[in-house]
Amino acid sequence: MNGAAEQWVFVCATSQLLPGERTVAWDGDTAILVVNYDGDYYALEDKCSHEDFELSAGNFDGDEATIECVLHGAKFDVRDGRPLCAPAYEPVPKFPVKVDDVGIWTRDDRG
């Protein structure tokens, strides 16, 4: 993925992702969960670190800034990807987000 890490991927217009909402963007083969927590945007890999399952299928708590995996109940802080309870012990990769006049952008910056 050389060079691809420098390419930003358009997520959506800011008006399409209101506080408490989430969406999924794709950077190549990587699904990226983008959430609006209280007006700030955060991006995590859309994959539970406990088991390969989409976090976007789970409950996003817009008051607590958490996403819960529906498979086994692991919760993660959407601001930094850290696990908050078992069975997950490893963080979910966090990705950069930028906002401009066009909208919200993210990228898989792992190279």
Side-chain angles (χ1 to χ4, degrees), residues 1 4-12 17 23 25-27 30-35 40-46 78-81 92-100 103-111:
M1 229 162 94
E6 298 170 10
Q7 303 275 337
W8 289 91
V9 175
F10 181 69
V11 177
C12 64
L17 193 62
T23 191
W26 287 88
D27 187 351
T30 304
I32 301 175
L33 172 66
V34 181
V35 299
D40 292 318
Y41 304 98
Y42 299 94
L44 302 173
E45 185 170 17
D46 189 20
V78 298
R79 296 167 291 191
D80 57 15
V92 173
K94 181 182 177 202
F95 300 123
V97 174
K98 73 175 182 176
V99 178
D100 63 16
I104 306 161
W105 301 79
T106 191
R107 68 180 184 206
D108 181 348
D109 63 349
R110 293 177 291 185

Side-chain angles (χ1 to χ4, degrees), residues 30-57:
T30 304
I32 301 175
L33 172 66
V34 181
V35 299
N36 181 335
Y37 170 62
D38 202 24
D40 292 318
Y41 304 98
Y42 299 94
L44 302 173
E45 185 170 17
D46 189 20
K47 182 167 52 171
C48 181
S49 64
H50 167 249
E51 195 160 320
D52 185 5
F53 197 79
E54 304 89 8
L55 286 176
S56 58

